[in-house]
Amino acid sequence: MQRKETEIPHYQPYMAGYDEMCMPDGEVRPHWAYLARVLAGLNQSELDQRRAEANRLLRENGVTYNVYGDPAGGQRPWPLDLIPFLIPSEEWRRIESGLAQRAEVLNLLLRDIYGPRDLIRRGLLPSELVYGHPGFLRPCSPLTGRKPHALILYAADLARGPDGRMWVLSDRTQAPSGTGYALENRTVLSQVFPSLYRDSHVHRLAVFFRELRASLAGYAPAGTDEPRVVILTPGPLNETYFEHAYLANYLGYNLVRGDDLMVRNGRVWIRSLKRLEQVDVIWRRVDDTYCDPLELLPDSDLGIPGLVEAVRQGHVTVVNPLGASVLENPALNAFLPGIAQYFLGQPLELPTVATWWCGRARERRHVLAHLDRMVVRTIHRRVGARPIYGPLLSSEERREVAHRIQTQPHLYVGQEQIALSCAPTLVEGKLAAHHAVLRAFLIARDDGYVVMPGGLTRVGSSGDNLIVSNQAGGIAKDTWIIASEPEKQTSLLPPATAAIVSTQPPSLPPRAADNLFWFARYAERAEQSMRLMRTVLTAYQSSTRFEEPHHPETLEALRQTLSRVTGLLPGGMPVSDSASELLAILADSQLRGGIAFNLRVMLEAAQGVRDPLSSDARQLVNDLRERLTTLERLSLDQLVEAEEHLNHLVTALAGLSGLVMESMFRGEAWLFWEIGRRLERGLSLVSLLRGSLVPARPRPVETNVLEAVLRTCDNLMAYRRLHNGAPEVLPTLALLLLDELSPRSLKFQLSRLEKHTLALPRDSDPLELSEEIRCVLEAAAAMRLLDLTLLASPDPAMGRRQALDEFLRQIERLLRATSDALSRDYFTDGRGPRQLLRAEMPT
């Protein structure tokens, strides 16, 4: 039998319910026809190639999702299916209308709950669903704001039922997540399938983000000419932190945490080093109860003390308003049709999954009688809490759930379990039908709501899995709204005729400056440790393979130097032989001071400073994360191969430094990067020289050590161009300490530190020298006064170069004092120390 043109090999349509791509007779639905033809024409090799390309793009962009409780959750890559979820424009218009109507109803409901509460007085809404819900925040009543819409951002989870209609499963009103992931899905798929994307006439997403940016700016307090919008994040441990950083970068907003902001005189300010800058709009990704420890959750470390009062006075707008999570109560679904009739005089256009609130006796009896086919939920979403699927329960489990409902009935709802539609999903190179849920997003304008033409579709991890969520291993899809004609190109950029002049300097909160400073320091520390480790491994292999004189003594000298640079003493680790010791320093990311440890801490610091980095630099950071994983897996029998890994890592770190130097804006962020880099390079050089040249050794060993030091500092060729013969101590010290033309000399680092510390912003008398500048100047003065001949001469009585050691100790003390002074002056939270009681919570 001849295969139809649009038939896709190996795909079995979902016959027990609605299949998104195929009709019951197996024919492909019209809006899927073009995609089906393209897929049918791709062989396995082409699909694998595009799958690999998508994974590469996601990896380079650092797209991750943190799964709580998963040891590898923080590093879990974003799972994106190559097959988009398709909806025709005609159907989407009906969905848009229904979503906009539902958002209006919820907005009016929010205003009523935090206002007159007419619905409760009229009996249209049980008071227990408001006052008994943790999302109702009494300090936030009444709502403030001059705009008609208090509910500014709204998201709804939709699924198609067996009847072919889209049903609303749940509402997201507190801090809806997913817009950034939807945008990233679109970016990746449009690059993997450029022709398919172009020829399918897909509605563009840029229009929605342009409306979002304009809307958020419009919610600034009256009289604000140039609104400052920030995104408030719980931090890198949050499940959707990638999205927070991604949206901040895409929309041009500052990404801040609670300790970056402060309330003064009823206004919110961003602490940008030595100045305060007023914040007008806070797009929060922190749960509302965590946003103000003064009036909400007292032990929260994620919020801004006094934020509720600042909102109350009308000096800042929080998006969505604090207390909006009360609308996420699933029990409201049972009352929403009546509420819609009350407010709008019309029924809801989009059906809601049938819901019975157990707080009423009749509904509770219905839920308990049909528990074997119900989905049971609590009225308040909690971390780790998942719906209870009645059909999957044993008799004993069902009795236990029934007991919980009878004990606290007002906390539970029962919902009809609808048979979700299935969409084609690429699994191991073949298409399979997986249950799908679409999250749609809306933004409020003065005249109504704008719906994103698309959204974030998720499918179950397997064909029979009805739990569709990222935390449960779900897979993401791009959502294509198929137009009947080509879409007009749009962009976030304003028209060319519009002149944009911003008087706002880029904000750099102390936390961001701190992260940049330590990002640079650990990058430099890791690079210097790796350069030395390469030299040590070369000496180790020579010592084990060849019986040449002085190799054992040279290896021991280099091991002592390595211990000085890393801070790890030989024999002080839980290993007994040289090979195991070297492997631990190299690959154990829990060994403080080791190479893998330095890389891991560097990557943690980099996670908090995405904004100042170019896209190329961020890709290199993501590449280093993968290389760290490979490094951590090295075994003892692979030690001989470690040098190749180190070569790649050194090259990547050097490339990262070069990209930062060439692409980062020469502002405060760059200054702290450069200061951190120069400080650490100076400290690393001091440690290297103290470990290698302070001890006086026999001439042949010392020659080998000097050559190793010059090679580690990437100065061996420079030395050979300047001097004939084997390396000697005096000219080596001259090159590494005093040569102003060498970017790795100590004098070069001090001259850059002097220049950069003088350029830092300060609030003191410009004629008064700060402590960090005094330390740098004192170190530079010591450099100018040193006697190289004295430093190079060993003390016969002590067998070491005591003068060199004393000089290096002095420089080390001054550089560390410089670091401490910078931390006190620029990185310390002005509110003083606070007890850390809470981990970062999800939104």
Side-chain angles (χ1 to χ4, degrees), residues 376-391:
V376 177
R377 303 176 189 271
T378 58
I379 65 170
H380 178 53
R381 245 181 354 113
R382 297 189 303 272
V383 178
R386 291 183 179 175
I388 301 170
Y389 287 84

Side-chain angles (χ1 to χ4, degrees), residues 524 527-535 647 650-651 653-655 657 677 681 684-685 688-689 705-722 732 735-736 739 741-745 749:
E524 189 66 32
E527 182 182 342
Q528 297 310 311
S529 299
M530 286 187 285
R531 289 178 179 276
L532 179 57
M533 177 60 84
R534 285 191 309 190
T535 306
N647 288 337
V650 168
T651 301
L653 283 171
S657 296
R677 186 171 172 231
R681 185 168 289 187
S684 295
L685 179 60
L688 178 66
L689 294 179
V705 171
L706 285 169
E707 184 171 318
V709 167
L710 288 166
R711 181 180 291 109
T712 299
C713 294
D714 207 14
N715 269 264
L716 184 58
M717 296 306 298
Y719 183 94
R720 287 173 176 170
R721 284 195 299 268
L722 294 170
T732 297
L735 178 61
L736 296 182
D739 195 326
L741 300 180
S742 171
R744 295 192 177 274
S745 74
Q749 314 315 314

Side-chain angles (χ1 to χ4, degrees), residues 7-83:
E7 184 179 312
I8 301 177
H10 312 300
Y11 180 65
Q12 295 297 324
Y14 179 55
M15 293 303 181
Y18 191 96
D19 187 274
E20 291 289 338
M21 186 171 68
C22 296
M23 293 184 283
D25 61 0
E27 284 286 341
V28 174
R29 300 184 188 277
H31 61 285
W32 281 86
Y34 178 63
L35 176 60
R37 285 196 299 272
V38 171
L39 292 177
L42 295 175
N43 57 39
Q44 187 66 50
S45 174
E46 290 171 316
L47 283 174
D48 291 344
Q49 182 180 354
R50 293 173 194 265
R51 171 75 273 169
E53 175 68 8
N55 288 337
R56 182 187 66 81
L57 292 170
L58 292 169
R59 183 178 65 251
E60 288 181 351
N61 293 338
V63 190
T64 56
Y65 186 88
N66 185 16
V67 179
Y68 296 116
D70 186 339
Q75 301 298 327
R76 177 171 288 192
W78 180 247
L80 175 62
D81 183 40
L82 287 185
I83 312 303

Side-chain angles (χ1 to χ4, degrees), residues 469-509:
S469 75
N470 294 103
Q471 289 289 330
I475 303 169
K477 282 178 170 287
D478 190 12
T479 306
W480 290 7
I481 310 303
I482 306 299
S484 56
E485 57 185 23
E487 272 281 288
K488 181 182 178 181
Q489 293 285 347
T490 56
S491 170
L492 270 184
L493 297 175
T497 55
I500 300 179
V501 178
S502 175
T503 58
Q504 293 181 351
S507 300
L508 185 68

Side-chain angles (χ1 to χ4, degrees), residues 555-772:
L555 176 61
E556 182 58 29
L558 292 178
R559 284 183 62 208
Q560 291 176 7
T561 303
L562 182 64
S563 73
R564 167 72 67 179
V565 171
T566 60
L568 297 165
L569 297 177
M573 291 173 286
V575 291
S576 57
D577 60 280
S578 298
S580 298
E581 194 173 84
L582 291 176
L583 181 66
I585 295 175
L586 181 65
D588 187 352
S589 61
Q590 301 304 313
L591 188 62
R592 189 179 185 88
I595 290 171
F597 175 88
N598 290 337
L599 280 172
R600 180 171 61 81
V601 179
M602 180 205 80
L603 291 170
E604 289 173 0
Q607 187 78 355
V609 289
R610 287 178 57 94
D611 290 358
L613 301 180
S614 68
S615 58
D616 289 333
R618 290 197 297 270
Q619 286 182 14
L620 259 180
V621 169
N622 296 326
D623 181 60
L624 282 164
R625 185 172 286 110
E626 287 196 10
R627 293 190 182 278
L628 171 60
T629 302
T630 303
L631 188 67
E632 291 171 327
R633 293 173 181 164
L634 285 179
S635 59
L636 201 57
D637 57 355
Q638 295 174 305
L639 192 60
V640 292
E641 306 169 15
E643 193 169 347
E644 182 180 352
H645 292 286
L646 290 173
N647 288 337
H648 291 307
L649 282 165
V650 168
T651 301
L653 283 171
L656 177 62
S657 296
L659 279 171
V660 171
M661 287 295 295
E662 293 300 321
S663 60
M664 187 182 287
F665 182 76
R666 292 297 200 271
E668 293 168 349
W670 181 83
L671 276 177
F672 281 103
W673 164 275
E674 262 292 278
I675 289 172
R677 186 171 172 231
R678 298 304 168 188
L679 258 176
E680 192 60 42
R681 185 168 289 187
L683 285 167
S684 295
L685 179 60
V686 166
S687 296
L688 178 66
L689 294 179
R690 286 190 68 193
S692 59
L693 299 189
V694 167
R697 298 183 173 91
R699 178 61 183 270
V701 177
E702 191 160 80
T703 299
N704 291 341
V705 171
L706 285 169
E707 184 171 318
V709 167
L710 288 166
R711 181 180 291 109
T712 299
C713 294
D714 207 14
N715 269 264
L716 184 58
M717 296 306 298
Y719 183 94
R720 287 173 176 170
R721 284 195 299 268
L722 294 170
H723 308 283
N724 293 320
E728 296 184 7
V729 175
L730 184 62
T732 297
L733 288 176
L735 178 61
L736 296 182
L737 293 180
L738 295 177
D739 195 326
E740 293 184 85
L741 300 180
S742 171
R744 295 192 177 274
S745 74
L746 185 57
K747 190 167 187 178
F748 188 93
Q749 314 315 314
L750 291 175
S751 66
R752 291 298 188 273
L753 281 172
E754 181 179 346
K755 176 182 178 182
H756 297 329
T757 51
L758 285 170
L760 288 174
R762 58 190 75 256
D763 53 12
S764 58
D765 185 344
L767 298 179
E768 181 182 344
L769 296 180
S770 62
E771 184 178 350
E772 60 269 12

Side-chain angles (χ1 to χ4, degrees), residues 336-508:
L336 214 56
I339 294 172
Q341 284 288 352
Y342 174 74
F343 281 132
L344 304 181
Q346 54 187 236
L348 290 173
E349 296 176 24
L350 285 178
T352 305
V353 60
T355 303
W356 295 269
W357 176 50
C358 296
R360 289 183 171 179
R362 186 177 66 177
E363 285 81 355
R364 181 168 65 253
R365 287 195 297 269
H366 177 81
V367 171
L368 293 173
H370 301 89
L371 198 55
D372 58 339
R373 40 185 205 203
M374 285 279 176
V375 179
V376 177
R377 303 176 189 271
T378 58
I379 65 170
H380 178 53
R381 245 181 354 113
R382 297 189 303 272
V383 178
R386 291 183 179 175
I388 301 170
Y389 287 84
L392 303 180
L393 299 178
S394 65
S395 298
E396 180 62 30
E397 290 170 333
R398 204 170 294 133
R399 283 193 294 271
E400 196 272 331
V401 171
H403 175 72
R404 279 154 51 188
I405 292 175
Q406 290 169 330
T407 303
Q408 294 181 301
H410 66 287
L411 296 182
Y412 293 93
V413 298
Q415 292 185 319
E416 178 186 3
Q417 182 174 336
I418 64 172
L420 306 180
S421 68
C422 281
T425 305
L426 194 62
V427 179
E428 296 180 354
K430 296 182 180 180
L431 289 180
H434 286 212
H435 295 289
V437 172
L438 164 65
R439 178 167 293 183
F441 304 97
L442 294 83
I443 180 70
R445 295 189 310 194
D446 289 349
D447 59 349
Y449 283 89
V450 175
V451 184
M452 175 191 285
L456 177 62
T457 298
R458 291 160 296 169
V459 296
S461 57
S462 60
D464 57 352
N465 192 348
L466 289 172
I467 303 176
V468 180
S469 75
N470 294 103
Q471 289 289 330
I475 303 169
K477 282 178 170 287
D478 190 12
T479 306
W480 290 7
I481 310 303
I482 306 299
S484 56
E485 57 185 23
E487 272 281 288
K488 181 182 178 181
Q489 293 285 347
T490 56
S491 170
L492 270 184
L493 297 175
T497 55
I500 300 179
V501 178
S502 175
T503 58
Q504 293 181 351
S507 300
L508 185 68

Side-chain angles (χ1 to χ4, degrees), residues 57 61 182-192 246 478:
L57 292 170
N61 293 338
L183 180 59
E184 179 64 17
N185 292 346
R186 175 62 54 85
T187 302
V188 171
L189 229 60
S190 63
Q191 294 181 60
V192 173
Y246 181 75
D478 190 12

